[in-house]
Amino acid sequence: MGEFFYVLDESARILFVDDDPILREFAQVNLASPMASIDVAENGAEALERLGEHYDIVLLDLEMPVLDGFDTLAALRANPRTRDLAVIVQTGREDVAAIDRAFRLGATSFVTKPLNWRLLAYQMLYVLRASRAERKIAGRETGQDQAA
């Protein structure tokens, strides 16, 4: 076996949104790296408040109290400031209706629980790189993106 290394080896700020406190803690332990920081929110309303700050990726649960993931995703896409933000839906739902609705609302990617943290980190790295490349091509690169 090879030695341990961090998958998220690029500068990134990530918001993990889930009502399960254990998953929020696991996300901070399993996804953070010297280059990537993980903040957490326990529902969509709290996430929208936190998104006044800059984030590179949001990991969003669908089933939450206060404001669910579907409504949160719709609000993100309706806001010009967050409409292009990469959003990975992470949920226990894997029914066709939930998948279709999430992508119609603007999800960037979709993963199901239970989460494989290592695989999720690779998916996040791919989404992060694709999102940055898309912004660069579209001419919407931010100062933080240019430094990465």
Side-chain angles (χ1 to χ4, degrees):
M1 296 200 100
E3 64 185 61
F4 175 82
F5 64 93
Y6 291 103
V7 173
L8 290 171
D9 61 355
E10 297 184 14
S11 175
R13 189 151 182 230
I14 298 143
L15 181 61
F16 186 88
V17 187
D18 199 299
D19 59 321
D20 184 329
I22 295 171
L23 278 181
R24 291 194 306 269
E25 180 135 350
F26 279 4
Q28 290 178 307
V29 169
N30 289 291
L31 298 175
S33 74
M35 300 294 291
S37 65
I38 310 294
D39 293 331
V40 295
E42 65 181 73
N43 59 58
E46 185 181 333
L48 293 176
E49 288 176 20
R50 304 269 333 231
L51 285 164
E53 305 169 37
H54 171 80
Y55 285 94
D56 297 292
I57 299 175
V58 173
L59 290 152
L60 182 64
D61 188 19
L62 293 178
E63 303 293 328
M64 297 178 291
V66 183
L67 186 64
D68 71 17
F70 293 116
D71 291 338
T72 303
L73 187 53
L76 290 172
R77 296 307 181 227
N79 182 337
R81 193 170 176 282
T82 57
R83 75 171 165 240
D84 296 325
L85 180 61
V87 177
I88 299 174
V89 169
Q90 50 89 18
T91 182
R93 292 188 60 179
E94 55 186 330
D95 56 284
V96 171
I99 294 167
D100 289 345
R101 184 174 177 200
F103 279 109
R104 278 196 316 270
L105 288 169
T108 309
S109 188
F110 193 104
V111 297
T112 56
K113 296 176 184 174
L115 297 172
N116 177 319
W117 296 103
R118 193 66 166 185
L119 187 57
L120 179 58
Y122 276 107
Q123 187 167 12
M124 290 169 57
L125 183 60
Y126 172 80
V127 167
L128 178 65
R129 288 176 177 168
S131 177
R132 287 180 174 164
E134 184 177 299
R135 282 196 305 269
K136 186 175 183 177
I137 290 168
R140 293 188 304 262
E141 196 168 32
T142 67
Q144 183 172 346
D145 293 330
Q146 292 169 357

